[in-house]
Structure formats: C-alpha cells, structure tokens
C-alpha cells in the first residue's frame, strides 16, 4: 500500500475534464468522469505527451500530441489493448482529491 497524497481540490477538475499533477516525481493524469475520479500515468507512451491535458470524451482521453486514445477507467489504449497505462487509486476527502503513490 502506498500513501495517499493530496493533489487537487475537487473544484479544479470539473466533470468531463482532466488535470496533470506531479506526485513524488511521477506525472499523473486525473480525470473526472461524471463525478468519479480516475488517475493514470500521465505520460503518453507514444512520445511523452501530457495525457492530463487531453480532451476527455466519456471515459476516453485523447492525447493532445498525436491522438492516441486511452480509457481513463482502465488505462488501456483503445487501438492496442497490450498498451496499458499504470493506474492509481483515488480517494476524495471533503474537498480534496488524493492519489495513492
Ligand atoms: S505523444 Fe501521445 S499520441 Fe504521440
């Protein structure tokens, strides 16, 4: 079990949006899918694009650099299911969003 670290306020990540955060040297992308938060490795495995800045459509984020798509609830790439981003547990405590690292 890792530690849960506060990364954002709930108001910073509205429904349908994401955010890039850095926690203990890891770049993590957090998304709000209809009020549920999901966190995955924020570095696109293609060429390192910032997934947290990608557009979220339902549960799918599109990398802003070249358009690779990932399901944020599983970390799995939509075109190649062998590619999967690491996932991180997310906890909400009052107004705070915490990620386990
Ligand atoms: S860096 Fe993400 S699609 Fe190229």
């Amino acid at each position: 079990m890792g530690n849960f670290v506060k990364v954002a306020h709930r108001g910073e990540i509205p429904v349908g949006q994401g955010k890039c955060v850095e926690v203990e040297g890891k770049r993590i992308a957090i998304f709000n899918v209809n009020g549920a938060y999901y966190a995955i490795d924020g570095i696109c495995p293609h060429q390192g694009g910032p997934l947290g800045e990608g557009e979220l459509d339902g549960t799918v984020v599109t990398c802003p650099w070249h358009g690779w798509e990932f399901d944020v609830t599983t970390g799995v790439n939509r075109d190649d299911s062998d590619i999967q981003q690491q996932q991180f547990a997310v906890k909400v405590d009052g107004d705070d969003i915490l990620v386990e690292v």
Side-chain angles (χ1 to χ4, degrees), residues 6-82:
K6 180 184 160 189
V7 294
H9 293 293
R10 290 174 64 174
E12 292 176 66
I13 312 176
V15 169
Q17 293 191 29
K19 181 177 169 67
C20 293
V21 298
E22 192 147 332
V23 187
E24 297 184 4
K26 293 187 176 112
R27 218 183 314 154
I28 295 175
I30 305 184
F31 302 94
N32 181 339
V33 178
N34 294 325
Y37 298 93
Y38 297 91
I40 61 173
D41 181 345
I43 300 174
C44 179
H46 178 220
Q47 288 183 6
L51 293 181
E53 294 176 13
E55 193 164 313
L56 186 65
D57 182 9
T59 65
V60 175
V61 66
T62 301
C63 178
W65 283 9
H66 317 97
W68 282 25
E69 295 180 336
F70 297 85
D71 189 318
V72 303
T73 68
T74 62
V76 175
N77 183 283
R78 293 252 288 179
D79 292 318
D80 182 349
S81 59
D82 287 341

